[in-house]
Amino acid sequence: MHATNQKSRRGPIRVAIAVAAVAAATVISVAIPAAADVARAPSEPKPTIVLVHGAFADSSGWNDVTERLQKRGYTVLAASNPLRGLMADAAYVRSILESIEGPIVLVGHSYGGAVITNAATGLEHVEALVYVAAYALDEGERLVDANALGGGHTDLADHIVIRPYPGAPEGDADGYIDPAYFHELFAADLPRKQTAVMAASQRPAALQALFTPSGEPAWESIPSWYVVASQDHTIPPEAERVMAERAGATTIELDSSHVAMMSHPGAVADVILDAAG
């Protein structure tokens, strides 16, 4: 695990982040920007934490993180991402955000990062963005473009199963990860018995999302945090590092597969709590 603070948009404080390693827990101290120049006053409401999953997954992937956040007294909403296209998905998540009163910390995993990047733009009550092995796209950038950032490579495109869906626009279809490669590509640090169930129950994503240019990024105006998964075989870690640095995100690196929130839920929850101030 490696931790860096790429660019602070708020006054730095020192906090301890407990990160679970494969065989033991390691506690490190990193510089993290606070939610404000001073700690959140006791009278201020705690932010609602909204979690957005990505493709080939559902909201249950956040269960262990949700439990930890709830124990700390936070209201958590794990949104069901429709996975029907980048702008449609962002509009759906934005409608959820607009229905919530008070401050929000918005968290996205994988493709969910591209969704929150577009959903939160211009929403003043979204106080922080947290990307977990996720796409923090720039304006006009597509998912397929972002995968090439930093010179990394993923074999994901070679192992996609394509199936039609009713009412699909011409040329579009649903994409699934071939179950035979799901463990290796998506969650290599989880037990195979668990990933076999995940592969069988994965939710497909409309392939058009790969080629849709992103809009104005919310990270330009909202402070962001980023969890890089150094053993990610779905989004290249090299691309994750570039996106994190470009967004000016406080960056934590974990020795994790793509599903860091499942294999390292304590570490991911701690990053979200730091973003919550």
Side-chain angles (χ1 to χ4, degrees), residues 75-94:
T75 298
V76 180
L77 194 162
S80 293
N81 189 349
L83 304 179
R84 293 298 85 196
L86 180 54
M87 293 308 165
D89 296 341
Y92 176 78
V93 171
R94 187 180 183 91

Side-chain angles (χ1 to χ4, degrees), residues 131-151:
Y131 294 90
V132 180
Y135 290 103
L137 299 179
D138 204 350
E139 187 167 7
E141 191 171 51
R142 307 173 302 168
L143 295 178
V144 292
D145 303 325
N147 279 335
L149 294 172

Side-chain angles (χ1 to χ4, degrees), residues 2-10 12 30-33 224-228 237-253:
H2 177 64
T4 58
N5 188 346
Q6 299 291 353
K7 181 173 67 179
S8 176
R9 300 190 182 186
R10 305 172 182 178
V30 299
I32 298 280
S224 60
W225 281 250
Y226 200 111
V227 177
V228 172
E238 296 88 347
E240 293 177 11
R241 296 183 187 110
V242 171
M243 288 186 282
E245 182 174 9
R246 184 175 63 188
T250 295
T251 300
I252 304 299
E253 186 153 339

Side-chain angles (χ1 to χ4, degrees), residues 98 155 193:
E98 291 175 336
D155 291 328
K193 181 181 293 188

Side-chain angles (χ1 to χ4, degrees), residues 174-263:
D174 266 341
Y176 302 74
I177 298 177
D178 185 337
Y181 294 90
F182 190 93
H183 176 84
E184 173 189 346
L185 291 171
F186 203 71
D189 53 358
L190 295 182
R192 286 188 177 274
K193 181 181 293 188
Q194 182 179 2
T195 59
V197 174
M198 292 167 62
S201 59
Q202 63 180 296
R203 288 186 55 203
L207 294 177
Q208 64 167 306
L210 291 168
F211 307 100
T212 302
S214 188
E216 179 184 352
W219 50 255
E220 283 193 335
S221 57
I222 302 173
S224 60
W225 281 250
Y226 200 111
V227 177
V228 172
S230 65
Q231 303 302 318
D232 198 334
H233 295 157
T234 297
I235 302 175
E238 296 88 347
E240 293 177 11
R241 296 183 187 110
V242 171
M243 288 186 282
E245 182 174 9
R246 184 175 63 188
T250 295
T251 300
I252 304 299
E253 186 153 339
L254 299 178
D255 185 21
S256 173
S257 73
H258 188 57
V259 290
M261 72 286 189
M262 298 180 71
S263 59

